[in-house]
């Protein structure tokens, strides 16, 4: 289902990006129709939304769950723009929903030895979340019931292993994906590669 092509690439050097996409991911909706909002994540664990029309206004903030260590390296929007996903240092991804308060509505937990979540991107179908951690890149099925015993809510996308993935880009059709490895000067190792994938159809 996944085909990768490998090439050398330098380390990236930015943690936040524009078009409402923080930490390296696909743009969730048409930026020409969207409000000029900038989403940023930071080393203290915060995820903030900035209204670029009012640069002096205080940003909208989302609460960091208790006992969550600092350092949020990545965040991305859902395709409909109603939710955001924030990658954490403790192998978790917090999901926030607009209109539901500042606390996360749920937390996705990766295996204990996965390492920090460093890049996120949403697929076009709105239910598949691409998440990169130190051990692997995964495609998470957001619609799989949490009480489904024995079922794994994600599948591993081969290629990266044991390095820091700094960016994930998915094209608008979700047919092609590019991942880059580089620690951006932060803690963590990197093998400095860029992988291109042709993805199979997703539901």
């Amino acid at each position: 289902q996944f085909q990768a092509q490998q090439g050398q690439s330098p380390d990236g050097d930015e943690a936040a990006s524009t078009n409402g996409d923080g930490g390296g991911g696909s743009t969730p909706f048409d930026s020409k129709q969207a409000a000029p909002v900038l989403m940023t994540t930071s080393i203290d664990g915060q995820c903030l939304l900035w209204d670029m029309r009012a640069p002096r206004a205080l940003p909208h903030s989302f609460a960091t769950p208790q006992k969550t260590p600092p350092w949020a390296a990545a965040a991305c929007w859902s395709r409909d723009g109603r939710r955001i996903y924030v990658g954490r240092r403790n192998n978790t991804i917090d999901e926030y929903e607009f209109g539901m308060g500042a606390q996360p509505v749920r937390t996705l937990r990766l295996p204990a030895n996965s390492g920090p979540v460093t890049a996120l991107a949403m697929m076009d179908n709105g239910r598949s979340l691409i998440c990169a951690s130190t051990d692997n890149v995964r495609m998470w099925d957001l619609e799989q019931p949490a009480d489904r015993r024995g079922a794994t809510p994600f599948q591993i996308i081969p290629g990266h292993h044991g390095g820091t993935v700094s960016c994930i880009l998915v094209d608008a059709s979700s047919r092609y994906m590019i991942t880059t490895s580089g620690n951006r000067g932060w803690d963590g190792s990197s093998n400095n590669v860029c992988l291109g994938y042709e993805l199979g159809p997703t539901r």
Side-chain angles (χ1 to χ4, degrees):
Q1 185 177 4
F2 305 103
Q3 298 177 358
Q5 294 180 344
Q6 179 172 326
Q8 295 297 320
S9 69
D11 288 352
D13 56 4
E14 289 292 332
S17 60
T18 56
N19 292 335
D21 182 67
S26 55
T27 304
F29 41 69
D30 187 350
S31 59
K32 295 180 181 179
Q33 299 177 2
V37 175
L38 172 69
M39 179 164 61
T40 63
T41 58
S42 54
I43 199 169
D44 61 0
Q46 290 194 85
C47 179
L48 303 175
L49 296 183
W50 304 80
D51 187 343
M52 303 306 291
R53 298 166 298 185
R56 296 186 178 182
L58 293 176
H60 177 79
S61 61
F62 297 94
T64 303
Q66 292 184 352
K67 298 182 179 181
T68 299
W71 184 31
C76 75
W77 299 82
S78 64
R79 282 293 182 178
D80 59 10
R82 297 178 181 177
R83 299 176 179 84
I84 67 169
Y85 299 87
V86 181
R88 303 292 185 184
R89 191 174 186 176
N90 60 344
N91 324 317
T92 61
I93 302 167
D94 290 324
E95 178 185 292
Y96 297 86
E97 184 172 347
F98 293 104
M100 298 295 289
Q103 297 293 333
V105 294
R106 66 170 167 172
T107 297
L108 310 177
R109 300 188 183 278
L110 278 66
N113 60 348
S114 298
V117 177
T118 57
L120 295 168
M122 181 64 68
M123 299 285 286
D124 185 60
N125 62 7
R127 65 177 290 174
S128 300
L129 177 67
I130 307 295
C131 54
S133 52
T134 304
D135 64 339
N136 280 303
V137 177
R138 293 174 169 83
M139 180 185 294
W140 197 291
D141 184 357
L142 297 173
E143 295 186 4
Q144 180 166 305
D147 58 353
R148 187 179 172 186
R149 294 185 179 182
T152 303
F154 57 80
Q155 58 178 308
I156 293 176
I157 300 177
H160 290 284
H161 181 72
T164 301
V165 177
S166 58
C167 186
I168 301 173
L169 294 176
V170 180
D171 78 311
S173 67
S174 293
R175 181 178 177 182
Y176 300 104
M177 179 177 71
I178 296 175
T179 61
T180 60
S181 176
N183 61 15
R184 295 183 286 189
W186 299 351
D187 291 337
S189 60
S190 170
N191 48 11
N192 297 325
V193 298
C194 175
L195 298 179
Y197 296 85
E198 182 173 359
L199 304 175
T202 56
R203 293 179 299 170

